[in-house]
Amino acid sequence: MAASPRAFVLRHTRLRPVPGLEHVRLHLADEVLPLWRAVQLELGDADAALPYWAFAWAGGLAIARHLADRPDAVAGRRVFDLASGSGLCAIAALRAGASSATAADIDGFAVAAIGLNARANGRRVTIVGHDVLDDAPPVTDVILAGDCWYDARLAARVMPWLRRARELGIDVLVGDPGRRYLPTDELVELATYDVRTTTELENLDQKRARVFAVPFGP
Ligand SMILES: C[S@@+](CC[C@H](N)C(=O)[O-])C[C@H]1O[C@@H](n2cnc3c(N)ncnc32)[C@H](O)[C@@H]1O
């Protein structure tokens, strides 16, 4: 890991409002490829992960918009933000009145970014930096899973874990713009949002993204 992931995040991002969610400010980057290169150099690892944490992804944006529209989904409840990236969904949940928020991501730069972003928004987020998908689902009331369906191996692990969580009585909200591995037939659609993203990440700078619930039972 980099000597100071926090300093690296600060050096390569700018704190600014999230398009469409101007009340949330995140440390965001403009361009993905130069930053990815900087990550590879910093870690000395040509296979380093994309700097997901430096962008607000369409799936997370949809969840954040949904929580602004429907705060009752999380108000007074404990929230767990899986694959948190920048921490956007955890911060949006706290803004909507969640009693606590925990954010999990396996990327050390994401861990740093979540801490910085929580602080920038005056929120307290508990951060988990290990891979929770090998653990039992957490003790929580609601799990948010924003934009987790871009990779076959991750998608294959996420859905059984979310189903297990649902069987334990945890509400699960998924946000996604229709990525390749999204198991639409296993989800119940709740809402649709046109979210502003960037052509650095997507083919268009506006994407249609949906929020789904994982239903209870088979
Ligand atoms: C496309 S980003 C989505 C970030 C955020 N939810 C959003 O919508 O803006 C996917 C995130 O999943 C994280 N991730 C990948 N595998 C993971 C795992 N096993 N557990 C937790 N996070 C993981 C990546 O590091 C990345 O930050």
Side-chain angles (χ1 to χ4, degrees), residues 37-204:
R37 183 77 191 123
V39 168
Q40 291 166 332
L41 288 173
E42 184 79 6
L43 299 179
D45 178 2
D47 297 323
L50 267 182
Y52 296 103
W53 46 269
F55 299 89
W57 291 79
L61 286 167
I63 288 180
R65 291 267 300 276
H66 186 65
L67 298 182
D69 286 355
R70 297 289 313 272
D72 50 301
V74 291
R77 309 179 78 197
R78 298 163 297 180
V79 168
F80 189 93
D81 179 16
L82 176 69
S84 184
S86 63
L88 169 63
C89 293
I91 292 166
L94 289 168
R95 283 195 59 89
S99 59
S100 66
T102 299
D105 202 291
I106 53 169
D107 185 327
F109 291 118
V111 167
I114 294 163
L116 287 165
N117 288 329
R119 193 187 174 100
N121 289 276
R123 306 287 162 175
R124 188 182 298 249
V125 174
T126 302
I127 305 171
V128 175
H130 72 268
D131 191 339
V132 295
L133 297 177
D134 290 330
D135 301 342
V139 176
T140 191
D141 301 308
V142 185
I143 293 178
L144 307 175
D147 230 308
C148 297
W149 312 96
Y150 57 93
D151 174 84
R153 272 180 307 173
L154 177 59
R157 297 178 65 218
V158 168
M159 197 58 205
W161 191 83
L162 293 180
R163 255 192 255 107
R164 246 191 306 155
R166 189 70 196 102
E167 280 158 19
L168 292 170
I170 300 168
D171 285 346
V172 179
L173 293 179
V174 167
D176 196 87
R179 305 238 184 261
R180 182 164 181 185
Y181 303 105
L182 180 72
T184 318
D185 52 344
E186 297 186 55
L187 302 170
V188 175
E189 189 176 322
L190 299 180
T192 302
Y193 298 93
D194 289 324
V195 295
R196 292 224 302 280
T197 169
T198 163
T199 50
E200 282 292 306
L201 307 175
E202 313 282 0
N203 56 341
L204 300 169

